[in-house]
Amino acid sequence: MSNPRPFRLLLLLAIPAALFLLPTLSGLLTDWWWFQEVGYEVVFTKSIVTKLALFLGAGTLALLVLGGNLSFAQRGAVPEPVLVKIGDATQTIDLTGALRKFTRPITLVLSLMIALGATAMWDTVLLFFSRMPFGASDPVFSRDIGWYVFSLPALSALLGVLRSLVTLSLFLLLPLYFFRGDVILLPRGLRIEPTAGRHLGLLLAAWFLLGGVELWFVDSANLLFTNKGTLVGAGYADLNATLPAIRISAVVAVVAAILAVVGAMRGQLGWYAFLGVASYAIVGVLGRGVVPSLIQKFVVAPTELTRETPYLAHHIDATRRAWSIDSVEVRALAGETRLTLNDIQANTPTIDNVRLWDRAPLLRTFKQLQEIRTYYDFVSVDDDRYWIDGKYRQVLLSPRELNTSALPTRTFINEHLTFTHGMGLTMSPVNEVTTQGLPVLFVQDLPPETTGSLKVTRPQIYFGELTSSHVFVNTKQEEFDFPSGEANVFRAYTGTGGVDVGNIFRRSLLALHFGSSKVLLSGDITSDSRVLYTRNVVDRIKKALPFLKLDRDPYMVVADDGTLHWIQDAFTSTALYPYSYRTPDGTSYMRNSVKVVVDAYNGSIKAYLALPNDPIAQAWNAVYPGIFLPLSEMQADLLPHIRYPDDLFRLQTSLYTIYHMDTPAEFYNREDEWQIPVIDRTDGSVPFMRHIIMRLPDEEEAEFIYMAPFTPRGKDNLAAWMVARNDGEQYGKLRVYQFPRQSLVFGPRQIENRISQDTEISRQISLWDQRGSQVIRGDLLVIPIESALLYVQPIYLQAEGGRIPELKRVVIAYQNQVVMRETLDAGLAALFGGSNDAPLATTLDIGADSPADIAAAGVAGAGVTTVEVGADMANLIAEARRRYQSAVDAQREGDWTRYGEELRALGGVLERLEAMRQNP
């Protein structure tokens, strides 16, 4: 009768193997299908092949080294095996024999661990074989920066694996030889059997030789990445004490290796090994620890600036180059000039795009007015710019995404078959407001309605920031498109995105991958259905391009044909740029080398090479040929919407506050250190940075820029401001406008204080507070005009118990003047109307469409009348228009209380106009 034990053992092993292999297999196949869908098969295959090669190579090497050493150590019979008694019984265990039985499992486990660890180095290996030169060298060893970025990690990893194998072998062999009786502890030392001694001696020599190579190449290079606070990189003590000690330690390691071999050959390994290890340890402790510390304390510290000056120069230069702030263009301003009405009119594009809507209150307003249904959500608000009806307009927009967690009924059909996508977006100009204090909407409602030349022809959002779950399309269930009154509109997906469900085998793997049997059992899913997964834009890009860092915020763009696309900034980076400043995560070099576009409907991914001269981007392009397209091939109507990435600009401006001081003495003493003002909010402080459309000083045309002001460290007055340019050929250029040190230009915090101390503004805010309304002071905006600065702050009012902030006032500050008016134009007129060399004169075209307009202008009759008025009268005319329109709106809405209030207010304005007309 056959023995059933082998079959049972095989079955017991097969069950856990199947439980492990099936999910792994399904994950690999579904990933392969996904990479086929997006067209990045080369990333999947090359990464998998490289990981597999590393796994097999490192595992085989570990098996050969560990297994070979252990097998050699256990050759032949053991004359005197070690026996261990169990308690008082006569039974004993042959410990030497037991160790022999465990040798193979230990070897397999350790080899598997080393093999798995090696797969994490797949990107290091690929970059090494596709390495590119940087064209710049480090100032100490004169190696190309590319050696540190591409070759050093590979060399360090290789030496680490080899030395780990030798170390493991020694740790395994010592107890093994001891229990075999080949190594015996005697009162006067060790007695080692000659063959065992030669074996251990050769391994010890290999350990020392590998350590010497690591010291000479890796440890010496790592000195260029040390961080001492003021200085990053090798300093005086490093190069005059630590580096020589490293060289000496490397030589001592070679000598120790020779001693180990000689001792093994002579049968005196114990003494020779002790001599080698002791010498190596003493040189390491004294030369690389004690001596550098003493030199730092007694030689460097007393005259630190003098000693460290050349190394500070290396650090400053490397940081400026690694973070691309060496190319910042600096323009000196003569000091804040006095603005006139002519200056304001000459900068009309800037004034027309002053951002009166902050993201936070606007997002709340969008949520209340435009979510339409509870299962729609606005995640964030983004800045962008569009040509609308011939005008360059800055806008704020937010996609309307589907939030499946808010569905009234959360079932498999609802979440994965019926409610599959978001719908459209809401877009608002930054500077327009209705008479009710609400934002004007260029794109709104469902289906999206647009204003002017804008159009949205394909509003469905299948891929976005909230799309975290998979969905099936082309099923027997109708896909919900958007609500229309009491009914719903349904529409089938006609895009190219997704993976075919196909036959029962593919369907089973998909069910296993998604962890849902309903995928397999549902009668609504057919072989013609498609499944869309990894739909989150950020996750989608990370999966397709895992070697890139991504900016914090992808943003949506409406193409000229009305389709929706996401643009995501991506970075190449490294932590191995010598002497460069390192961020908390270790990054010392970063470039916005790639712009990624994701179609919100089809999910297609296209990566465009924005900086073709970046060596890291070149290396990845060589690793995965064809994954990057030239930036010139980007869709022509999307190219004008690329912008300078937020994360990179924040890092660069933060660094520039210190590294604009490019001489070692100034840098060391922090003579002119700056800081970026912060905006205090209830949820914390945020840096004072804004996107603006403006005409830069000495430029002819207005452009979309990203702006950050600088104030001196510990002070509030303005020192300079930096812009990142976003348009056309100027894209990516950084420019700093610097005020003279002796000039006093009010900074944001000083202006905030002046606004808070203004009696009229304080009185009005207190009055609103007493009525139970919540006053929300918007972000203070810095608006450069010529060589001067305007400050603008919107004031929002939120009714008690209400959720919609309304823009009620605009505060404008210029030099020591502060005014608050209902509109920006009225505030500018109040500031510049009566204080210019030439009096403010505004020409108004007053139509005869409304009696209030005619009355407010002080004229009668029909047609169009041109009237020249002063600043005060212009303010009253504007107020009369608003009061009249507000009354008309109230009448339409049936709000008779507000209607009466507006008419009374209009009467008061007309009386003041009449008095002004009679007493000019």
Side-chain angles (χ1 to χ4, degrees):
M1 184 175 180
S2 62
N3 188 356
R5 292 182 63 186
F7 176 76
R8 291 175 182 174
L9 180 61
L10 184 62
L11 183 62
L12 289 174
L13 292 174
I15 293 174
L19 292 175
F20 171 77
L21 289 176
L22 279 178
T24 303
L25 178 62
S26 68
L28 283 173
L29 284 176
T30 51
D31 280 349
W32 168 245
W33 298 335
W34 185 89
F35 275 96
Q36 281 185 311
E37 174 208 346
V38 298
Y40 282 73
E41 299 98 318
V42 64
V43 176
F44 178 85
T45 54
K46 203 158 193 177
S47 301
I48 289 293
V49 169
T50 303
K51 290 177 182 178
L52 183 61
L54 286 172
F55 180 85
L56 294 176
T60 302
L61 179 63
L63 282 173
L64 291 174
V65 173
L66 297 177
N69 279 296
L70 290 174
S71 297
F72 180 80
Q74 296 181 98
R75 69 204 178 285
V78 181
E80 297 181 5
V82 177
L83 302 177
V84 179
K85 291 184 178 181
I86 302 178
D88 295 331
T90 57
Q91 185 180 1
T92 60
I93 295 177
D94 182 357
L95 191 58
T96 305
L99 286 175
R100 182 187 294 272
K101 294 179 181 179
F102 283 106
T103 297
R104 188 167 296 174
I106 290 174
T107 302
L108 288 173
V109 170
L110 291 176
S111 298
L112 180 62
M113 293 173 62
I114 291 173
L116 290 173
T119 60
M121 299 182 291
W122 66 273
D123 51 349
T124 299
V125 172
L126 288 175
L127 282 177
F128 171 74
F129 286 109
S130 300
R131 58 193 179 276
M132 297 287 175
F134 270 64
S137 301
D138 77 271
V140 176
F141 303 110
S142 299
R143 298 189 184 109
D144 186 89
I145 303 298
W147 185 86
Y148 297 92
V149 175
F150 302 118
S151 301
L152 180 60
L155 176 61
S156 179
L158 176 62
L159 291 173
V161 169
L162 294 176
R163 210 174 188 203
S164 296
L165 289 174
V166 174
T167 302
L168 284 172
S169 297
L170 285 169
F171 273 106
L172 292 173
L173 289 176
L174 283 172
L176 182 60
Y177 275 130
F178 175 77
F179 288 118
R180 283 177 56 89
D182 294 327
V183 175
I184 301 174
L185 286 173
L186 298 175
R188 295 184 179 182
L190 288 174
R191 190 187 74 185
I192 304 176
E193 189 270 331
T195 305
R198 288 191 292 272
H199 188 191
L200 293 172
L202 289 175
L203 283 174
L204 188 60
W207 189 87
F208 276 123
L209 286 175
L210 289 171
V213 174
E214 189 171 22
L215 282 165
W216 192 272
F217 291 102
V218 177
D219 289 9
S220 60
N222 284 337
L223 289 176
L224 305 190
F225 311 120
T226 56
N227 192 340
K228 303 178 185 65
T230 303
L231 171 65
V232 176
Y236 181 90
D238 293 316
L239 297 183
N240 291 278
T242 307
L243 181 60
I246 287 175
R247 301 294 200 211
I248 294 172
S249 293
V251 173
V252 170
V254 175
V255 173
I258 296 173
L259 287 174
V261 173
V262 172
M265 295 298 120
R266 290 186 174 183
Q268 299 177 348
L269 177 62
W271 167 248
Y272 280 88
F274 173 77
L275 184 62
V277 171
S279 302
Y280 183 77
I282 291 171
V283 171
V285 172
L286 293 178
R288 287 182 278 153
V290 177
V291 174
S293 298
L294 293 175
I295 289 180
Q296 181 68 33
K297 184 175 182 179
F298 295 106
V299 178
V300 177
T303 55
E304 188 173 33
L305 178 57
T306 303
R307 299 288 185 183
E308 302 287 22
T309 289
Y311 313 111
L312 284 171
H314 298 333
H315 169 54
I316 294 168
D317 178 63
T319 299
R320 289 169 63 89
R321 283 188 286 111
W323 292 98
S324 291
I325 54 177
D326 59 325
S327 58
V328 173
E329 180 186 2
V330 179
R331 297 281 182 94
L333 298 173
E336 191 170 15
T337 59
R338 185 170 180 80
L339 289 178
T340 66
L341 175 64
N342 291 334
D343 295 323
I344 299 297
Q345 293 173 339
N347 287 272
T348 299
T350 303
I351 299 300
D352 286 347
N353 287 283
V354 172
R355 197 170 95 176
L356 300 180
W357 285 103
D358 289 347
R359 293 185 180 185
L362 187 64
L363 182 61
R364 291 202 297 270
T365 302
F366 282 174
K367 285 176 175 290
Q368 292 301 313
L369 299 180
Q370 285 293 306
E371 281 187 353
I372 312 296
R373 293 290 189 271
T374 58
Y375 42 77
Y376 287 126
D377 200 358
F378 293 103
V379 179
S380 61
V381 175
D382 292 310
D383 285 272
D384 206 349
R385 70 283 196 198
Y386 289 80
W387 282 95
I388 301 174
D389 296 332
K391 292 184 178 181
Y392 198 40
R393 305 294 301 272
Q394 184 177 348
V395 299
L396 292 164
L397 61 90
S398 184
R400 185 186 292 104
E401 297 202 52
L402 179 70
N403 185 356
T404 54
S405 63
L407 287 172
T409 306
R410 298 189 62 183
T411 64
F412 175 80
I413 291 177
N414 277 349
E415 291 189 43
H416 300 289
L417 277 68
T418 302
F419 293 90
T420 57
H421 58 273
M423 190 66 177
L425 71 156
T426 298
M427 180 188 293
S428 172
V430 296
N431 63 324
E432 292 189 21
V433 60
T434 67
T435 54
Q436 290 82 23
L438 300 176
V440 172
L441 300 179
F442 284 168
V443 182
Q444 60 183 319
D445 298 338
L446 291 176
E449 296 180 0
T450 59
T451 299
S453 55
L454 284 171
K455 61 180 179 180
V456 178
T457 57
R458 196 179 65 191
Q460 293 81 8
I461 302 174
Y462 281 86
F463 301 87
E465 294 181 272
L466 283 182
T467 48
S468 56
S469 62
H470 60 280
V471 296
F472 292 87
V473 296
N474 301 333
T475 66
K476 294 180 180 179
Q477 283 288 333
E478 289 185 305
E479 281 186 61
F480 172 80
D481 200 31
F482 63 90
S484 179
E486 297 300 323
N488 291 327
V489 176
F490 296 86
R491 179 173 300 176
Y493 180 72
T494 58
T496 59
V499 169
D500 290 328
V501 172
N503 56 35
I504 190 65
F505 172 73
R506 291 172 62 97
R507 190 163 172 172
S508 300
L509 288 178
L510 288 170
L512 183 61
H513 178 69
F514 296 127
S516 174
S517 60
K518 294 177 182 178
V519 175
L520 183 63
L521 302 176
S522 174
D524 294 317
I525 301 174
T526 69
S527 59
D528 295 326
S529 300
R530 300 177 68 82
V531 57
L532 282 59
Y533 53 101
T534 316
R535 297 192 299 140
N536 180 276
V537 174
V538 174
D539 294 342
R540 197 169 181 83
I541 297 171
K542 282 182 177 179
K543 188 170 183 175
L545 304 166
F547 47 86
L548 296 177
K549 287 187 175 182
L550 302 184
D551 192 69
R552 69 182 65 192
D553 186 26
Y555 57 98
M556 177 167 280
V557 174
V558 182
D560 288 350
D561 62 357
T563 56
L564 305 181
H565 304 264
W566 295 94
I567 296 182
Q568 172 74 68
D569 286 291
F571 309 104
T572 51
S573 62
T574 181
L576 296 171
Y577 198 102
Y579 274 102
S580 175
Y581 167 86
R582 302 174 71 132
T583 62
D585 68 352
T587 304
S588 58
Y589 169 96
M590 181 183 285
R591 290 291 185 273
N592 178 214
S593 299
V594 181
K595 304 282 186 180
V596 185
V597 177
V598 178
D599 190 301
Y601 188 73
N602 293 316
S604 60
I605 303 172
K606 293 183 179 180
Y608 298 93
L609 194 58
L611 293 178
N613 60 342
D614 172 42
I616 300 180
Q618 291 174 346
W620 283 120
N621 204 27
V623 170
Y624 302 118
I627 61 167
F628 295 142
L629 301 171
L631 189 62
S632 58
E633 293 187 14
M634 182 182 285
Q635 194 172 315
D637 51 352
L638 298 182
L639 193 59
H641 292 279
I642 63 172
R643 67 186 188 195
Y644 206 84
D646 183 51
D647 284 350
L648 182 59
F649 189 65
R650 287 171 183 262
L651 282 168
Q652 288 175 317
T653 50
S654 177
L655 289 171
Y656 200 77
T657 60
I658 300 174
Y659 291 91
H660 72 277
M661 301 177 287
D662 54 4
T663 62
E666 187 182 21
F667 178 85
Y668 180 83
N669 294 315
R670 297 293 198 266
E671 296 176 7
D672 189 28
E673 185 176 356
W674 297 341
Q675 63 186 10
I676 302 172
V678 296
I679 303 169
D680 294 325
R681 292 177 175 168
T682 55
D683 57 348
S685 299
V686 295
F688 201 105
M689 298 179 178
R690 290 292 176 270
H691 287 94
I692 311 172
I693 287 181
M694 64 168 291
R695 183 176 67 83
L696 294 172
D698 303 325
E699 298 293 338
E700 296 296 327
E701 301 293 333
E703 54 188 287
F704 187 60
I705 58 99
Y706 198 8
M707 183 261 197
F710 298 118
T711 61
R713 173 67 64 181
K715 296 183 179 179
D716 293 329
N717 59 290
L718 210 63
W721 46 282
M722 176 187 278
V723 297
R725 307 176 72 178
N726 291 279
D727 290 348
E729 295 180 357
Q730 306 303 324
Y731 172 80
K733 295 181 180 179
L734 301 177
R735 181 182 291 180
V736 167
Y737 292 91
Q738 191 167 350
F739 293 103
R741 292 192 187 184
Q742 67 274 14
S743 65
L744 177 62
V745 180
F746 291 130
R749 191 171 294 276
Q750 292 170 315
I751 295 297
E752 284 270 16
N753 293 335
R754 294 183 68 88
I755 293 173
S756 299
Q757 295 165 4
D758 186 274
T759 55
E760 180 61 28
I761 296 175
S762 299
R763 185 191 64 81
Q764 182 61 64
I765 290 177
S766 298
L767 184 62
W768 282 326
D769 284 336
Q770 291 171 5
R771 294 177 179 175
S773 299
Q774 179 186 358
V775 178
I776 303 171
R777 291 177 61 170
D779 293 343
L780 186 66
L781 306 175
V782 183
I783 312 296
I785 304 288
E786 302 299 340
S787 295
L789 296 174
L790 281 178
Y791 287 92
V792 176
Q793 185 177 52
I795 304 294
Y796 309 97
L797 204 62
Q798 187 167 306
E800 185 177 9
R803 297 183 178 180
I804 303 178
E806 299 178 2
L807 179 63
K808 287 302 182 184
R809 295 290 188 274
V810 179
V811 178
I812 307 172
Y814 169 63
Q815 293 183 343
N816 60 350
Q817 306 173 69
V818 178
V819 299
M820 183 171 73
R821 295 292 186 270
E822 291 194 10
T823 65
L824 177 65
D825 291 340
L828 291 173
L831 276 177
F832 300 104
S835 59
N836 296 289
D837 296 332
L840 173 66
T842 304
T843 301
L844 301 175
D845 287 338
I846 303 174
D849 294 336
S850 70
D853 287 344
I854 300 173
V859 296
V864 175
T865 306
T866 300
V867 184
E868 191 173 70
V869 297
D872 291 339
M873 184 172 287
N875 290 340
L876 290 174
I877 291 172
E879 186 176 354
R881 287 177 180 271
R882 288 191 298 276
R883 296 294 186 186
Y884 172 75
Q885 185 59 49
S886 182
V888 171
D889 292 342
Q891 183 184 32
R892 290 172 180 168
E893 296 169 5
D895 189 347
W896 300 108
T897 300
R898 183 161 66 90
Y899 176 76
E901 291 175 352
E902 295 295 345
L903 282 184
R904 284 192 295 273
L906 177 58
V909 174
L910 294 176
E911 289 176 2
R912 290 157 61 191
L913 277 170
E914 178 62 23
M916 188 177 294
R917 185 181 67 81
Q918 293 177 359
N919 300 290

